[in-house]
Amino acid sequence: SEVAANGFLDTESLFIDGTHIKASANSHKYQNEVIRKEARSYEKELQEEIKRDRQEHGKKPLKEKEKEPEMITQKISTTDPDSGWFHKGEHKQVFAYAANTCCDKNNYVLDFEVTAGNVHDSVSFWHLYRRLRQNWKYGIYYVMDAGYKIPSIARQLIKDGKTPVMPYKRPMTQAGFFKKYDFVYDEFFDCYLCPDHKVLHYTTTNREGYREYKSDWLICQSCPHRDRCTNSKDSVKVITRHVWENYMEQVEEIRHTIGMKERYKQRKETIERVFADAKEKHGMRYTQYRGLAKIKMELNLLFGCMNLKKLAIWKWRIKWGAKYRSSSLQFFCSSIKFKFENWKWVKKRFAGMTSRTVLSTVCGGRISAPPSMLLINNLTNCVDRQIILFSKVFHRIPCLKGAYNFPVSFF
């Protein structure tokens, strides 16, 4: 509230990203446990959309199965059970926590969400976004990396009147095969066209929310591009399209809009800088505490101190910054003027003397080998050029023009 009261917040663009914090847990002390997989926060809306989509295509609604909780096997640390097993690079694996953080354009941390290290950014985003939507209603652009680029997040942001700014995401296709963008979608006929100009027709919408478009196996058997298209035994190519894919297409249109590329580049100056300062200057690479509650308290204090530090610096600049810069510049200019005037006096004082006499007088002793006069002339010309350059730059400063009127002969 103090930062907002001073007008230091710029919440037009909100930058969201996640980073990992190594937990205080031994990587070799764990046990494998079977736990229940959490349901997606948007599962109810997705099932309603699937039902509506099947009705539009003349398909019967999917039968409701008795859903047994999906179980998965995970490594649970015996030292810190709240942490998660995180794959750090290709070889190193450690227990860690994930901190999804949001900041404004001026690097003030607005909110964060701490989860186990094995929770994906797109999963922990929802808890963070609900608080941001409630507390920071005026954020227009949500700048995020490719980890958040999924249909459900794009749909939610666009429905709320926000503008998601996300990067290009490379298709995860087997090397040597056609990419999905090589197949053209026809919205009017609701079908896909393959690179050989054959049609893939709609067949069904599955329980995961993807429409399935399949080719004719009789045509695909004699296709010259079959080796680059599919490896299926029945020679059928299947293309899937999410029921919320139109929101992803809007995200791509936003990405190509003028100014969005420059706005996305600001991530390295904002949220990435917040993580860099927190890890390099405040020890956020590791945590000495155990348990999710203690990690949240630690990050609350850490980000709070960073915000207070920035607030104090900015308030000092407003009150004393101009006066400090003015006095510093006056001292700088007067010292340079003194040095230049002394240099003119030196040149006048030693005019007509040999180079050996000049250096002997300055050094206070005898010089064994006389230096070349060309060296002194080069030094004199170099200093003269620096004086001229300084005068040109100095007189281009509007607020200081005329503040120091050096004589023309001086330059």
Side-chain angles (χ1 to χ4, degrees):
S1 59
E2 180 72 16
V3 177
N6 285 273
F8 295 155
L9 287 181
D10 186 356
T11 57
E12 181 186 18
S13 297
L14 301 182
F15 300 86
I16 300 177
D17 199 5
T19 188
H20 285 86
I21 307 168
K22 187 178 182 301
S24 177
N26 193 328
S27 301
H28 303 285
K29 294 183 179 181
Y30 65 88
Q31 56 186 8
N32 293 320
E33 294 184 7
V34 179
I35 62 174
R36 180 178 178 178
K37 185 178 180 180
E38 294 185 5
R40 293 171 289 195
S41 59
Y42 53 88
E43 185 68 30
K44 183 178 179 180
E45 298 177 2
L46 179 61
Q47 294 304 322
E48 292 176 355
E49 187 68 30
I50 293 172
K51 183 178 179 180
R52 189 183 308 112
D53 186 76
R54 291 182 65 88
Q55 289 177 353
E56 291 176 357
H57 286 89
K59 299 288 184 179
K60 296 180 180 179
L62 294 171
K63 294 182 179 179
E64 295 186 3
K65 295 183 178 180
E66 293 184 1
K67 291 186 178 180
E68 297 182 357
E70 187 177 353
M71 309 302 290
I72 55 175
T73 303
Q74 286 187 354
K75 290 183 179 180
I76 305 298
S77 171
T78 56
T79 310
D80 188 0
D82 289 344
S83 61
W85 188 247
F86 171 59
H87 294 258
K88 187 177 181 180
E90 298 182 358
H91 306 288
K92 193 173 182 180
Q93 301 175 3
V94 296
F95 286 105
Y97 287 94
N100 276 265
T101 312
C102 175
C103 75
D104 73 331
K105 189 177 179 180
N106 295 330
N107 292 17
Y108 285 101
V109 178
L110 304 179
D111 205 342
F112 67 93
E113 177 70 20
V114 183
T115 58
N118 53 5
V119 178
H120 196 264
D121 290 345
S122 61
V123 177
S124 56
F125 165 82
W126 296 99
H127 302 286
L128 177 63
Y129 176 67
R130 291 189 187 100
R131 295 197 300 269
L132 291 174
R133 184 173 55 182
Q134 181 179 359
N135 300 328
W136 308 102
K137 301 178 182 179
Y138 304 106
I140 301 175
Y141 301 97
Y142 278 72
V143 186
M144 299 173 285
D145 61 7
Y148 301 89
K149 195 174 182 180
I150 61 174
S152 57
I153 293 179
R155 169 182 173 271
Q156 188 64 53
L157 290 174
I158 293 175
K159 282 187 66 177
D160 292 343
K162 312 299 181 182
T163 304
V165 182
M166 301 178 184
Y168 169 75
K169 188 175 181 181
R170 289 181 294 178
M172 296 178 288
T173 311
Q174 189 176 351
F177 281 72
F178 289 124
K179 306 293 189 293
K180 188 177 180 179
Y181 55 73
D182 294 323
F183 295 81
V184 181
Y185 178 68
D186 191 326
E187 188 175 359
F188 183 80
F189 293 102
D190 191 24
C191 65
Y192 273 92
L193 295 177
C194 74
D196 199 38
H197 308 292
K198 299 300 186 294
V199 180
L200 283 76
H201 296 282
Y202 169 84
T203 55
T204 186
T205 303
N206 58 31
R207 296 181 182 274
E208 297 298 320
Y210 287 91
R211 301 173 186 168
E212 296 181 1
Y213 297 84
K214 296 183 179 180
S215 62
D216 188 348
W217 66 276
L218 292 174
I219 299 175
C220 290
Q221 277 186 338
S222 57
C223 180
H225 306 294
R226 178 185 170 186
D227 294 338
R228 298 181 57 195
C229 187
T230 180
N231 282 332
S232 62
K233 295 181 180 179
D234 53 359
S235 303
V236 176
K237 174 65 177 179
V238 181
I239 296 288
T240 58
R241 178 183 175 85
H242 202 274
V243 293
W244 291 333
E245 188 69 23
N246 58 319
Y247 295 102
M248 296 295 289
E249 294 174 352
Q250 293 183 46
V251 171
E252 286 299 301
E253 293 177 2
I254 294 170
R255 184 172 67 87
H256 290 94
T257 305
I258 297 176
M260 294 300 108
K261 184 177 181 181
E262 289 73 17
R263 194 176 296 274
Y264 183 79
K265 284 183 177 180
Q266 293 176 353
R267 288 184 67 257
K268 65 179 180 293
E269 307 161 3
T270 53
I271 189 66
E272 297 293 351
R273 179 60 186 270
V274 169
F275 291 151
D277 287 346
K279 290 188 176 183
E280 290 293 330
K281 301 177 181 179
H282 302 282
M284 204 181 75
R285 293 187 184 277
Y286 308 91
T287 177
Q288 303 298 326
Y289 299 96
R290 296 172 182 172
L292 198 60
K294 291 184 179 180
I295 304 301
K296 288 182 179 179
M297 288 188 288
E298 181 185 12
L299 292 187
N300 261 319
L301 291 173
L302 192 151
F303 289 139
C305 291
M306 292 176 64
N307 286 347
L308 287 174
K309 177 183 175 182
K310 185 178 289 292
L311 174 63
I313 292 173
W314 282 38
K315 292 184 73 173
W316 181 90
R317 286 177 180 174
I318 290 177
K319 187 174 182 180
W320 302 102
K323 182 178 180 180
Y324 176 79
R325 287 193 297 269
S326 176
S327 60
S328 299
L329 188 58
Q330 288 177 7
F331 175 77
F332 172 72
C333 294
S334 57
S335 61
I336 286 182
K337 184 177 179 180
F338 175 77
K339 291 179 181 178
F340 288 165
E341 288 177 348
N342 281 331
W343 176 255
K344 288 183 64 179
W345 176 83
V346 168
K347 290 197 296 184
K348 184 178 179 180
R349 169 70 176 78
F350 296 105
M353 296 185 181
T354 62
S355 59
R356 182 172 182 175
T357 305
V358 171
L359 292 181
S360 298
T361 305
V362 173
C363 298
R366 297 186 62 182
I367 305 298
S368 58
S372 173
M373 194 63 190
L374 180 63
L375 174 62
I376 297 180
N377 292 335
N378 289 338
L379 291 174
T380 304
N381 295 334
C382 179
V383 173
D384 289 340
R385 287 196 297 269
Q386 294 297 326
I387 294 173
I388 295 172
L389 176 62
F390 170 76
S391 65
K392 290 181 179 179
V393 174
F394 184 83
H395 286 290
R396 287 185 181 181
I397 304 175
C399 63
L400 299 174
K401 189 174 182 181
Y404 294 91
N405 295 318
F406 295 105
V408 177
S409 60
F410 176 72
F411 294 110

